[in-house]
Amino acid sequence: MFVSEKLKTFSWINVGNPDHEDFEKLQTQYKIDEDTISDILDPDEQPRLEIEDDYKVIIVRFPIINRETDTLWHTEPLSIILSSNRVITVCRKRCDLLDKIKKSEKTSREEFILNILYYIAESYLRMLKELNKRVIASKRVLLERIRKKELLDLLEVENSYTLYMAGIRGNVAVLDKLEKVRGFVKTDEAQELAEDARIELAQATEVVASYSKMLKSIKETFESVINMDSNTNINRLTIWNILLVIPTVIVGYYGMNVQLPFAEHDDIALAIFMFIMVLLLGFAIFSAIRRRIV
């Protein structure tokens, strides 16, 4: 879907959820190379800057909730095609953060692109706060009872942190290259925007690293708890097996076809048998309780 906006110094064409006709239009009307369009179609395309003869291609990644992927909190590529008098943004999904950019922040092509990077960095920080809330909620549940669902939620958050870190670092690399392009950051306003975007991206990098360390610590703690509980349960089962073996051995011994003491006196033999079994069981249970095994 093409949405165009005529601004003071350039035109902005936003292409969201493109279909085959949209890509044909990019090729025929806007003279976009087929290889560039192929890169735009790739959901795993990494942030980079390419300079063609008639335009520049800037690819960055922004956070999105994508239910079509294994990881719900995912990142998607946003392609920005910069030519002499227009900016074309192309995204496989709808990029809502583009709607947040005010008209006053589109005074030039360069400032518009720097504002896109700034808002992407802000969206990373916002998504990271939401992910941290999920981690805290899962932690509270796990403190009461360790369940598979919460552990899988933590695994998904960890995957999201990895994707976010890769996206943020890639965007920082793109910003570095843009600042080296002659004439891109040429005004004081553009320099200030580039610095603001860099600060936000650096903060997002620190937040991801901090949250990742915290999540790793939580996972290691609960893994230790699970291992301790497993060892305790195994010890208890072992002790109960030993306790159950005692009466089995005694009954089996008296069931053998051999001459046993007091065998001719049924009442006395039964009493002796019960006394020995209770004595041995009592001693075994007392020893287990004293060692806090059961």
Side-chain angles (χ1 to χ4, degrees):
M1 181 181 67
F2 273 74
V3 178
S4 59
E5 183 179 353
K6 182 68 176 177
L7 299 165
K8 188 175 181 180
T9 59
F10 67 98
S11 297
W12 173 35
I13 297 95
N14 184 30
V15 186
N17 296 318
D19 54 22
H20 182 69
E21 293 181 0
D22 294 330
F23 287 116
E24 282 190 350
K25 188 175 181 180
L26 285 172
Q27 274 188 285
T28 56
Q29 184 173 339
Y30 297 99
K31 309 302 180 184
I32 306 301
D33 187 75
E34 186 177 352
D35 291 336
T36 301
I37 293 177
S38 177
D39 293 340
I40 293 171
L41 284 169
D42 186 0
D44 298 321
E45 192 67 27
Q46 295 305 306
R48 58 186 173 84
L49 169 64
E50 274 192 6
I51 299 177
E52 303 291 343
D53 295 334
D54 299 325
Y55 55 84
K56 299 180 181 69
V57 180
I58 304 165
I59 298 178
V60 292
R61 294 192 74 91
F62 67 96
I64 188 174
I65 297 177
N66 190 351
R67 301 186 184 278
E68 297 177 3
T69 59
D70 295 335
T71 304
L72 180 63
W73 300 69
H74 195 60
T75 61
E76 278 286 334
L78 172 65
S79 301
I80 306 169
I81 304 171
L82 175 65
S83 61
S84 58
N85 59 352
R86 70 171 64 95
V87 174
I88 303 174
T89 53
V90 186
C91 184
R92 295 172 60 254
K93 304 291 180 180
R94 176 173 171 77
C95 187
D96 295 329
L97 64 89
L98 294 176
D99 300 331
K100 298 180 180 179
I101 304 177
K102 303 173 185 176
K103 193 169 185 178
S104 59
E105 297 172 328
K106 306 171 186 174
T107 54
S108 69
R109 297 169 304 148
E110 295 79 14
E111 290 182 18
F112 177 43
I113 292 171
L114 290 171
N115 271 304
I116 290 176
L117 286 170
Y118 177 82
Y119 279 99
I120 286 177
E122 272 195 339
S123 66
Y124 272 113
L125 288 170
R126 186 174 62 255
M127 290 287 198
L128 285 168
K129 289 179 181 178
E130 294 298 321
L131 280 173
N132 191 48
K133 290 179 182 178
R134 290 190 65 180
V135 172
I136 293 173
S138 297
K139 179 183 175 183
R140 288 174 180 170
V141 174
L142 288 171
L143 286 173
E144 296 178 1
R145 181 185 175 187
I146 295 179
R147 298 194 307 181
K148 181 179 178 181
K149 179 181 179 301
E150 277 64 35
L151 292 174
L152 291 176
D153 285 344
L154 292 180
L155 177 61
E156 183 178 348
V157 171
E158 186 177 30
N159 293 336
S160 298
Y161 285 160
T162 303
L163 294 172
Y164 282 11
M165 180 62 83
I168 293 168
R169 286 178 175 171
N171 292 350
V172 171
V174 168
L175 180 59
D176 290 338
K177 291 181 180 179
L178 286 174
E179 289 182 321
K180 294 177 182 177
V181 174
R182 180 180 295 179
F184 191 86
V185 184
K186 56 187 175 182
T187 64
D188 293 339
E189 289 80 5
Q191 289 178 357
E192 186 177 348
L193 275 173
E195 186 62 28
D196 290 343
R198 185 175 297 282
I199 291 171
E200 290 294 308
L201 288 169
Q203 185 178 353
T205 303
E206 291 178 2
V207 171
V208 173
S210 175
Y211 284 173
S212 296
K213 288 181 181 178
M214 183 179 68
L215 179 57
K216 183 179 179 181
S217 176
I218 292 172
K219 285 185 61 182
E220 289 177 350
T221 300
F222 282 110
E223 285 174 1
S224 299
V225 171
I226 292 172
N227 290 333
M228 289 174 61
D229 288 345
S230 298
N231 291 334
T232 301
N233 291 331
I234 290 172
N235 288 337
R236 287 175 177 173
L237 289 173
T238 303
I239 292 300
W240 282 112
N241 281 332
I242 294 172
L243 294 177
L244 293 174
V245 164
I246 295 173
T248 303
V249 170
I250 296 173
V251 171
Y253 184 70
Y254 266 84
M256 290 188 294
N257 190 19
V258 296
Q259 186 67 31
L260 296 172
F262 305 105
E264 65 278 5
H265 305 288
D266 294 340
D267 295 338
I268 297 175
L270 180 61
I272 292 173
F273 160 70
M274 294 298 295
F275 175 75
I276 294 173
M277 187 171 62
V278 170
L279 184 64
L280 292 175
L281 281 173
F283 176 75
I285 293 173
F286 174 76
S287 299
I289 293 175
R290 188 178 180 183
R291 294 170 181 263
R292 296 181 180 179
I293 298 177
V294 294

